């Protein structure tokens, strides 16, 4: 980050800054390629146009249409692992599953998921703030851009139904007089190809880890599966996978007695706000009854995560699938975590007790 930055860590400050996009801008140094990626890296009024264009594809009916595919994919991946009895779920489940669901959502061949995931990870890992390997970033960028370019060309040629297919919608829609140019389409597709699965992978690791290491919670959730959605949001409040996102101050502003000057970078630290003791009593504890729907796991304000309904559906389906296939699961060795600024689980060894085997033993 070079020149230094401010961090807002209290709930009240983070939420207030997220609600003032006219002062805390999302433009600045692009993070998802060499150009600003709409909608996340543009401000109003452009942002509104992109957001309205994308929103219909994330409606509840679209998400519920995707659910049966998510269920099939979760079963395909988890089935053999549960049968084997042990596996590192980070490699064999939390990593591939969200990318496959994303392929389904965007109408891409399922076999492309691994390549997409690989490029997105290369770019993230080799960025200046991590391994700082510009050549690796360039290589992966070039592959991802070529993929997105071919995809856009394919959709132009095929003439699919724009209401059903998001990418066809982007290349054909004329929205309020704004026709996207090919580079804009490319940036949006590239953003979705990377933003649409990495955070879900981290979240899935966090959720499965919580359930595996806290037997009382696992017992409760198995007994009353209607608690699963709320539990997922509480796990993610407790450990928020997207720890922070950056803004640039557009004018001088004072927060907590400190003067932030125009042009300075400001991190909204969602993960810290989600553990602010002034907002959540006993924030270090996972409390399933907690009323914490106002958490900042998916951000706040105009840039609030567009994909959150898909992500929450995917996470629920994954937990339900593991509950269906097993009578119990528990950790099977040391866990490894990734830190800043994506807070995931990179090693998640699990021992799983297959329901089928138990049923066979008991003659059911
Ligand atoms: C549990 C998984 C996820 C988490 C924790 C997460 C988190 C976030 C956060 C914190 C933001 C706000 C960034 C900011 O204010 O600068 C965001 C924005 C966004 N997310 Fe997600 N996300 C997840 C899954 C997804 C999925 C599955 C998709 C797409 C399929 C997606 C697409 C987007 C997009 C397009 C934006 C930009 C919205 C805008 O600028 O208007 N996300 N996400």
């Amino acid at each position: 980050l070079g020149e230094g930055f401010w961090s807002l860590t209290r709930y009240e400050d983070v939420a207030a800054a997220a609600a003032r996009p006219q002062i805390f801008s999302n433009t600045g140094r692009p993070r998802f390629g060499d150009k600003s990626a709409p909608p996340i890296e543009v401000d109003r009024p452009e942002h509104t146009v992109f957001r309205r264009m994308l929103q219909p594809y994330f409606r509840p009916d679209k998400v519920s249409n995707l659910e049966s595919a998510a269920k099939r994919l979760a079963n395909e991946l988890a089935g053999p692992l549960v049968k084997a009895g042990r596996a590192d779920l980070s490699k064999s489940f939390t990593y591939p599953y969200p990318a496959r669901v994303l392929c389904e959502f965007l109408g891409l061949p399922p076999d492309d998921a691994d390549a997409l995931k690989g490029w997105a990870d290369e770019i993230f890992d080799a960025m200046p703030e991590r391994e700082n390997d510009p050549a690796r970033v360039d290589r992966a960028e070039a592959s991802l851009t070529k993929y997105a370019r071919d995809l856009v060309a394919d959709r132009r040629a095929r003439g699919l139904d724009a209401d059903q297919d998001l990418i066809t919608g982007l290349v054909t829609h004329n929205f309020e007089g704004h026709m996207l140019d090919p580079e804009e389409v490319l940036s949006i597709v590239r953003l979705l190809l990377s933003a649409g699965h990495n955070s879900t992978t981290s979240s899935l690791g966090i959720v499965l880890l919580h359930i595996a290491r806290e037997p009382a919670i696992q017992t409760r959730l198995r007994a009353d599966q209607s608690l699963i959605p709320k539990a997922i949001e509480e796990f993610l409040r407790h450990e928020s996978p997207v720890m922070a996102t950056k803004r640039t101050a557009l004018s001088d502003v004072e927060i907590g007695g400190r003067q932030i000057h125009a042009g300075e970078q400001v991190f909204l630290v969602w993960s810290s706000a989600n553990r602010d003791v002034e907002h959540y009593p006993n924030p270090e504890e996972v409390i399933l009854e907690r009323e914490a729907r106002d958490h900042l796991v998916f951000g706040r304000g105009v840039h609030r995560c567009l994909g959150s309904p898909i992500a929450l559906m995917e996470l629920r389906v994954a937990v339900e699938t593991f509950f269906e296939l097993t009578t119990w699961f528990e950790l099977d060795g040391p866990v490894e975590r990734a830190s800043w600024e994506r807070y995931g689980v990179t090693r998640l060894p699990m021992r799983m007790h297959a329901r089928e085997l138990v049923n066979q033993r008991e003659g059911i």
Side-chain angles (χ1 to χ4, degrees), residues 18 26 37-42 47 51 54 58 98 102 105-106 188 191-192 195-204 236 240-247 268 270 296-308 310-312 314-315:
N26 270 41
I40 202 164
E41 290 172 345
V42 296
H47 176 263
R51 183 87 188 191
L54 288 166
F58 293 85
L102 182 77
F105 173 62
L106 294 175
I188 298 175
L191 169 68
L192 291 173
H197 54 85
N198 290 330
S199 323
T200 319
T201 287
S202 308
S203 305
L204 203 46
L236 299 181
S240 306
V242 177
M243 298 180 87
T245 45
K246 195 189 70 178
R247 301 289 191 261
L268 310 190
W270 313 112
L296 302 174
V297 171
F298 295 105
R300 170 72 64 89
V302 294
H303 292 282
R304 191 185 183 282
C305 181
L306 201 48
S308 62
I310 295 183
L312 290 171
E314 268 179 67
L315 293 168

Side-chain angles (χ1 to χ4, degrees), residues 209-223 323 328-331:
L209 174 59
H210 268 285
I211 300 176
R213 76 174 170 207
E214 291 165 46
I217 287 187
Q218 185 170 157
T219 305
R220 250 188 101 186
L221 294 182
R222 281 182 184 272
F323 282 176
W328 193 256
F329 55 85
E330 73 245 343
L331 290 179

Side-chain angles (χ1 to χ4, degrees), residues 132-364:
N132 194 10
D133 183 347
R136 231 171 96 206
V137 175
D138 288 348
R139 270 198 308 277
E141 287 274 7
S143 306
L144 192 59
T145 304
K146 179 174 183 326
Y147 184 90
R149 209 179 282 284
D150 291 348
L151 188 59
V152 168
D154 171 81
R155 290 305 197 268
R156 271 190 214 290
R158 277 167 64 188
L160 301 176
D161 179 354
D163 290 336
Q164 300 303 322
D165 183 70
L166 187 152
I167 298 166
T168 304
L170 294 179
V171 293
T172 57
H173 266 188
N174 179 338
F175 190 85
E176 292 177 2
H178 182 103
M179 187 83 188
L180 293 183
D181 71 43
E183 286 304 311
E184 284 174 324
V185 174
L186 204 63
S187 306
I188 298 175
V189 172
R190 287 185 33 132
L191 169 68
L192 291 173
L193 292 178
S194 48
H197 54 85
N198 290 330
S199 323
T200 319
T201 287
S202 308
S203 305
L204 203 46
I206 290 166
V207 166
L208 292 174
L209 174 59
H210 268 285
I211 300 176
R213 76 174 170 207
E214 291 165 46
I217 287 187
Q218 185 170 157
T219 305
R220 250 188 101 186
L221 294 182
R222 281 182 184 272
D224 181 358
Q225 298 206 12
S226 68
L227 293 173
I228 294 173
K230 204 167 171 200
I232 287 172
E233 294 199 49
E234 171 64 357
F235 297 146
L236 299 181
R237 178 205 63 80
H238 186 254
E239 293 186 32
S240 306
V242 177
M243 298 180 87
T245 45
K246 195 189 70 178
R247 301 289 191 261
T248 304
L250 292 181
S251 48
D252 292 357
V253 55
E254 194 189 304
I255 298 183
R258 301 300 180 105
Q259 191 66 43
I260 297 176
H261 295 287
E264 289 179 342
Q265 297 186 66
V266 182
F267 268 93
L268 310 190
V269 190
W270 313 112
S271 54
S272 164
N274 281 335
R275 286 209 189 187
D276 183 349
V277 71
E278 283 172 28
H279 196 79
Y280 297 114
N282 302 319
E284 314 295 324
E285 271 177 52
V286 169
I287 303 173
L288 298 189
E289 291 70 26
R290 195 192 286 280
E291 287 307 328
R293 299 306 290 267
D294 61 351
H295 63 68
L296 302 174
V297 171
F298 295 105
R300 170 72 64 89
V302 294
H303 292 282
R304 191 185 183 282
C305 181
L306 201 48
S308 62
I310 295 183
L312 290 171
M313 177 276 288
E314 268 179 67
L315 293 168
R316 173 178 53 75
V317 165
V319 173
E320 287 168 357
T321 304
F322 275 100
F323 282 176
E324 264 161 44
L325 295 174
T326 65
T327 53
W328 193 256
F329 55 85
E330 73 245 343
L331 290 179
D332 189 29
V335 167
E336 278 169 22
R337 305 300 304 257
S339 61
W340 189 256
E341 57 192 288
R342 198 187 289 154
Y343 188 54
V345 182
T346 46
R347 195 176 121 81
L348 185 60
M350 201 70 83
R351 194 174 159 81
M352 293 157 286
H353 305 269
R355 192 173 289 281
E356 232 174 62
L357 294 178
V358 173
N359 287 351
Q360 274 166 18
R361 266 204 307 273
E362 292 171 0
I364 298 167

